[in-house]
Amino acid sequence: MTDADLVLVDGEVHTMDPARPRAHGVAFGGGRIVAVGTNAQAEKWAGKTTEVVELGGKVVVPGFIDAHAHLMESASRVGNVDLGGCAPMAAALDVLRAAVPHAGPGEWVVGDDWDESRWPEARYLTCEDLDRASPDVPIAAVRVDRHMASVNSAALGLLKIPLGTRGFDATSAGRPTGVLKEDALEAMWDVVWPSAERLARNFREVATRALSLGITTVHDVVGADEIRAYQIAKAGGALPLRATLMARDRLLPHLAAAGLSRGFGDEWLRLGAVKVFGDGSLGARTAALFQPYKDDPTESGMLIHPPRELRDILAGIHAAGFPSAVHAIGDRAIELVIETIEAVAPEAGPRHRIEHAELLHPEHVERMARNGIIASCQPNFIGQWSRPGGMYEKRLGFERTARNNPYREVLEKGVVLAFGSDGMPYGPMEGIHWAVNAPFGIQGITMDQAVAAYTVGGAFAAFDETDGGTLAVGKRGDAVILSGNAWQEPETIRETHVERTIIAGRVAWRAP
Ligand SMILES: [Zn+2]
């Protein structure tokens, strides 16, 4: 018996392991958990070099798994202009205008996270608006949902997107409005996206932020640049948390041709599901609904792939040995995805997943349970948009809002629930808060269920339940020490903060 690296004693340890749900002490050695149980059971691993932490009753949980993240993508935003807190619209334009003199020759000004639902104007930014910030330095302002951006005239001139391109918004007279979605948005990203080297350099900052929130693993949506950036970061010793990569579906032919499938890699960096878009977002009214949008009866959203095409894509992913992770928010998209998975993978087992899965009908949940399809959901969306008069109610009306994100029903019907944030914003405790304090009965779940969705659920979705997700002997040494006691005071969950984040049995982050 070698000495432990780290021993925690006198904690309120919520292991998330049904065989032993509560403990006081945990000992970590060789990157793994070597003891969970009484203080004495943990302490007996302590030696001369062991760090012993007296918790004084503080809460310990397994390291959080953010099952839907864009962490390496968010490294692209380091240095961008933050429009998140800007209201009204003029304030966002002021912030952009102030950034213009700092753009080097040939550089763009990129702003993130504008949200017209916070503005009295309640409309999207246009080319005309942005030209008032600068007529000649290219500006791209990305909406909070990342499914839309607005650009100014200088940017339109550089992008040269042909009229008629999908998602390239124009007036009836054929003048571009500056609003870019779908393919037009992709064309913008092709020009604006930073290099893999720059992403890797920026990664330390976003990873540190994730650690400060207790996130020890992300299921990260990535393209080729982000995969390369992850490898650069890892080779440079700058990968402080674990990443299961959800490669975008355009990479599938290459992955499959190389003989790669899920699980390839190691415990820090490996391949997970393949990410596919089924529809758009509610904010942009592109999520595919059966009934039209409440605030635009002419619109009911869009399917990104027609049914035959989606079937070919999912069949390809399944045949290559990957789970698919299909973005589907509206009920029409969700139903198509379920139908398609049932057709290409009739046996439960491959752990295909639906990302967001917001507007679920009861029969969708039943079919997901039967087929073993995982619900990968973002409870922070409830906090953002479920308030009375909020975005959900505007777009969907009250009835559909009250049915949206039905986590309780999902669990009751036996569907595996994996929580993530979609980076909007990151923060497991914020998400857990809204899952526990949800406004509608069909949504609200218990603290244990919510923490399990942010730990055990993500581990299961990544076929990682034997090594991660709970605090149990032999598992990876990933844990979080929290302030306060969210179990005793559920209404203050979101005020809880992380005191220390432990990865591979070492303290990787501590509160200043
Ligand atoms: Zn996403």
Side-chain angles (χ1 to χ4, degrees), residues 117-118 382-394 401 439:
S117 74
R118 295 164 183 258
I382 289 182
Q384 292 248 44
W385 298 312
S386 252
R387 68 186 187 277
M391 189 272 282
Y392 280 146
E393 207 176 309
K394 282 195 187 112
T401 298

Side-chain angles (χ1 to χ4, degrees), residues 219-392:
H219 296 180
D220 214 28
V221 178
V222 291
D225 285 345
E226 290 81 39
I227 297 178
R228 210 172 289 127
Y230 263 115
Q231 292 178 95
I232 295 168
K234 186 167 184 252
L239 187 62
L241 47 69
R242 307 178 196 276
T244 297
L245 304 180
M246 297 203 284
R248 294 188 182 278
D249 64 318
R250 61 171 178 263
L251 298 179
L252 179 70
H254 309 287
L255 296 170
L260 299 170
S261 58
R262 73 141 175 98
F264 180 81
D266 61 20
E267 63 172 75
W268 290 94
L269 185 60
R270 61 207 179 101
L271 292 174
V274 171
K275 172 79 194 300
V276 183
F277 275 104
D279 65 353
S281 75
L282 291 169
R285 297 191 196 84
T286 49
L289 307 177
F290 280 122
Q291 305 298 324
Y293 280 87
K294 176 94 190 321
D295 56 357
D296 185 354
T298 66
E299 188 57 80
S300 56
M302 67 195 291
L303 294 168
I304 303 293
H305 302 285
R308 278 281 288 280
E309 198 176 293
L310 184 70
R311 188 180 165 136
D312 288 346
I313 295 168
L314 298 195
I317 293 171
H318 184 68
F322 289 97
S324 52
V326 192
H327 167 122
I329 288 175
D331 46 7
R332 186 155 58 96
I334 290 169
E335 187 154 310
L336 175 65
V337 171
I338 293 172
E339 222 167 78
T340 310
I341 293 174
E342 286 169 345
V344 305
E347 306 287 321
R351 304 187 193 178
H352 293 293
R353 41 196 280 180
I354 298 182
E355 303 304 302
H356 316 307
E358 291 177 40
L359 199 47
L360 285 168
H361 294 203
E363 62 275 19
H364 296 154
V365 183
E366 280 148 28
R367 287 165 76 178
M368 288 172 74
R370 262 201 308 279
N371 198 263
I373 300 170
I374 290 162
S376 168
C377 300
Q378 294 73 37
N380 43 312
F381 291 179
I382 289 182
Q384 292 248 44
W385 298 312
S386 252
R387 68 186 187 277
M391 189 272 282
Y392 280 146

Side-chain angles (χ1 to χ4, degrees), residues 68 70 275 356 422:
H68 186 120
H70 295 265
K275 172 79 194 300
H356 316 307
D422 205 8

Side-chain angles (χ1 to χ4, degrees), residues 55 91 115 235 301 414 416 427 436:
L55 291 170
D115 181 354
V416 172
V436 174

